[in-house]
Amino acid sequence: MSSHRSPTARPKAGALAASAAALLSIGLLSPAPAAAASAPSGKGKAAHATAAVLDLDGAGRTPVIHGADTAYDTASIVKVDILAALLLRAQDAGRHLTAQERGRAEPMIQRSDNAAANALWREIGRSSGLAAANKRLGLTSTTGGPGARWGLTRTTASDQIRLLRAVFDGGKTANGGPAALNPESRAYIRTLMSHVVPEQAWGVSALSGPGAHGALKNGWLQRNTTGLWDVNSVGQVTVKGHRYLVAVLSDGSTSMSDGISLVERTARGAMA
């Protein structure tokens, strides 16, 4: 199923409600911290967003950061990191993913399936396994969530660009070191991120023009104490013939739809 949809499309209300219910059911809700550049949230609070952009077809290899590059909760964008860690484990063992692992990895990325993420989070060794993989992938500012709460992993927009580089930029680390993920593993992640279900094809995909295809993973999480939303989007898009890696992280929105609007507005502003 193609991940491309109109930049103006939005998830239906029922889909948003189901997403929130799924998060509540697995206990990923807890108090939200403050973070970077702000916009009104509608409840006297401030929603914050940070974007990082890297032009893969440009001369430089340093991402441009819009907003303060502070840490946010990942919500479901960490599923890309979980898959990368799983693939590194398989590479180390000299094997391909098993049928069971693929049966979990694919819905985890394409449908953002939480039960699949729970199982693979345990398989990689939870936060310690994620940390070991991230050291090899070149990430420096990502901390795995406590216990089973992978959605409360903390990361920065610039670290998400480091992860995206490990997948989309020939596997190079940010410091130019050797690729951790082999070509087959990188292609597998790219393929899954290019085929997310249509109702989840929002966020950085809004940057792609008609007929363009992007690869992305989104995340959304409502905090139980404040009722405010963390909404994030990361991926690769093609704009005016250039391939860009884009990561937009946000928190403090009063609804998921407001968070999506903030993420897409921030992404467009970062590309202006």
Side-chain angles (χ1 to χ4, degrees), residues 135-177:
K135 184 175 181 179
R136 297 168 64 181
L137 294 166
L139 279 67
T140 61
S141 304
T142 298
T143 304
R149 295 189 170 193
W150 44 261
L152 297 184
T153 296
R154 301 278 287 169
T155 194
T156 62
S158 60
D159 232 23
Q160 287 303 297
I161 294 293
R162 294 182 181 102
L163 177 59
L164 293 171
R165 284 197 65 183
V167 175
F168 292 96
D169 191 20
K172 297 176 184 177
T173 62
N175 61 9

Side-chain angles (χ1 to χ4, degrees), residues 1-2 16 52 70 93 104 125 136 138 143 148 150 171 186 196-197 205 208 220-221 250-251 266:
M1 189 177 295
S2 172
L16 300 187
T70 53
R104 288 168 172 164
R136 297 168 64 181
T143 304
W150 44 261
R186 297 197 302 271
V196 301
V197 293
S205 63
S208 298
W220 57 97
L221 170 65
S250 79
D251 64 14
T266 302

Side-chain angles (χ1 to χ4, degrees), residues 68-262:
D69 196 26
T70 53
Y72 293 79
D73 297 324
T74 58
S76 286
I77 63 168
V78 74
K79 291 169 181 173
V80 176
D81 209 359
I82 292 172
L83 178 54
L86 179 70
L87 288 163
L88 286 176
R89 286 170 61 90
Q91 287 178 196
D92 292 346
R95 63 174 179 84
H96 299 292
L97 295 186
T98 66
Q100 182 181 62
E101 288 168 336
R102 292 176 69 93
R104 288 168 172 164
E106 290 164 16
M108 178 178 73
I109 300 298
Q110 295 175 317
R111 294 190 284 106
S112 206
D113 186 274
N114 289 329
N118 290 342
L120 294 181
W121 178 247
R122 291 191 297 270
E123 183 171 343
I124 68 167
R126 296 185 172 181
S127 61
S128 61
L130 192 76
N134 284 344
K135 184 175 181 179
R136 297 168 64 181
L137 294 166
L139 279 67
T140 61
S141 304
T142 298
T143 304
R149 295 189 170 193
W150 44 261
L152 297 184
T153 296
R154 301 278 287 169
T155 194
T156 62
S158 60
D159 232 23
Q160 287 303 297
I161 294 293
R162 294 182 181 102
L163 177 59
L164 293 171
R165 284 197 65 183
V167 175
F168 292 96
D169 191 20
K172 297 176 184 177
T173 62
N175 61 9
L181 293 165
N182 65 30
E184 182 180 0
S185 293
R186 297 197 302 271
Y188 183 60
I189 299 174
R190 291 195 300 266
T191 297
L192 297 189
M193 291 179 69
S194 297
H195 292 84
V196 301
V197 293
E199 60 267 25
Q200 293 181 20
W202 45 263
V204 299
S205 63
L207 295 168
S208 298
H213 296 277
L216 76 155
K217 183 70 192 81
N218 296 325
W220 57 97
L221 170 65
Q222 187 180 27
R223 309 310 297 267
N224 65 347
T225 300
T226 64
L228 301 177
W229 287 79
D230 300 329
V231 179
N232 307 317
S233 185
V234 300
Q236 179 190 272
V237 296
T238 300
V239 180
K240 297 180 179 179
H242 274 230
R243 297 169 303 134
Y244 292 90
L245 301 180
V246 184
V248 184
L249 310 181
S250 79
D251 64 14
S253 291
T254 56
S255 67
M256 183 175 168
S257 60
D258 283 350
I260 292 172
S261 295
L262 173 60

